[in-house]
Amino acid sequence: MRSKILAIGAICAALMSLAACGKTGAAAGSAGVEHVAFMMPDQTATRYDKFDRPQFTAALKALCSKCQVDYYNASNDAQTQQAQFESALSKGAKAVVISAVDGKGAQAMVAEAKSQSVPVVAYDRYIAGANAYISYDNEKVGELQGQGLLDAMSARGTLQGNVFMINGSPTDPNAADFKSGAMKVLTGKVHIVFSHDTTNWDPTDAQNALEQALQRYGTKNIGGVLAAADGVAEASVAALKSAGVNPMPPLTGQDAELTAVQRIVAGEQTLTIFKEAKPEAQGAAQMTNALLTGGKPETSTTFENVPAVLLKPVLVNSGNIAQTVVQAGYYTREEICTAQFAPACKAAGL
Ligand code: BGC
């Protein structure tokens, strides 16, 4: 036992400073390892745990072998995220990559990180003052949703009908961009009777809101539903079904969640927006590594004065599932076309 301890001591002395060896969980972290906090906002969207986290971890590891990614998910709670941020800093995080639950509130975190010379990359959601920002073009996401909804309404002959908007969280800066992008396309062309900002992207809040709106405006003259992402799209389908609507009206989403792709195949959702995680995660990893090593983050534009990369979102509907999410390796045909969806898949040529 004693010789084992001595051996560990010797390795410690050889590999790292003695001070760091002696410390447990103190601010320095373990020497030789650079902690990078990867802080995602929620688990209602599957993307963060399923795609963003592994893609970012792999991309950063490839650039920085001594980097260790510490993953945090705030479960849609700004206070939880704040606590996670404090804990990341006290663990000795050398950089923080964050998708903020509350974009404005997160400015205080950026200031605190900066005061400790810890750079911050705003991931997917903008935070003023961040060292760099990477996202998809969120206004464009809204435009694609709006145009896709308009096209589907025109094809279904529901252009005169009532349109219901189920938007994202008011604390998520992207939600405002999705909405303004959609409004750019829809204003003056359709009759929007209801527009709801969903508290914290909570599907239950979205479902309740749409159920009440359907009671108020009736189900006879529905033109379409603009749902800002797949989580609230699923909630919207539940509300429509509970109000007895069948078939589903034109209905949008975002994220290319597996269940959304299946709803598209089954004709229950018109479209989703595919924002592949890989380029976003790789870009963020490059930015992080550059900031850690005194290099320059690779950016192609600025967003409100922050050096930025804005990637191009892609619309997915029943006509291009194979060429988009399947080709990118998000899901296999088998994952999409389970027994329940097999006939619909066949009809869609999948
Ligand atoms: C992201 C979307 C996501 C939503 C809910 C937005 O900021 O851009 O991809 O669906 O948040 O997490």
Side-chain angles (χ1 to χ4, degrees), residues 42 45 47-48 124-125 172 174 178 201 229 254-255 275:
D42 68 63
R47 57 169 287 181
Y48 305 111
D124 200 71
R125 299 180 179 181
D172 175 355
N174 290 349
F178 302 149
W201 288 101
Q254 167 179 197
D255 285 341
K275 305 187 300 182

Side-chain angles (χ1 to χ4, degrees), residues 329-346:
Y330 254 50
Y331 314 115
T332 61
R333 282 185 173 74
E334 292 66 38
E335 279 174 291
I336 300 168
C337 302
T338 53
Q340 187 191 349
F341 298 100
C345 274
K346 213 168 164 207

Side-chain angles (χ1 to χ4, degrees), residues 277-292:
K278 203 174 189 174
E280 192 170 12
Q282 280 180 343
Q286 191 284 331
M287 290 169 167
T288 307
N289 188 50
L291 291 163
L292 284 172

Side-chain angles (χ1 to χ4, degrees), residues 103-104 107 110 114 122 125-135 137-139 172-177 180 299-310:
K104 285 228 163 69
Q107 289 176 25
V110 170
K114 278 196 166 163
R125 299 180 179 181
Y126 175 73
I127 312 171
N131 296 75
Y133 166 55
I134 184 160
S135 189
D137 181 338
N138 294 300
E139 177 127 351
D172 175 355
N174 290 349
D177 289 346
S180 71
T299 54
S300 49
T301 184
T302 54
F303 189 89
E304 296 179 18
N305 293 327
V306 173
V309 169
L310 291 179

Side-chain angles (χ1 to χ4, degrees), residues 164-180 182-183 192 194-210 213 226-228 232:
F164 300 81
M165 285 181 80
I166 304 296
N167 312 303
S169 166
T171 60
D172 175 355
N174 290 349
D177 289 346
F178 302 149
K179 208 196 310 189
S180 71
M183 291 307 284
I192 299 166
F194 179 75
S195 183
H196 175 73
D197 292 343
T198 306
T199 306
N200 281 333
W201 288 101
D202 175 15
T204 309
D205 176 60
Q207 183 173 340
N208 289 340
L210 186 56
L226 190 127
V232 292

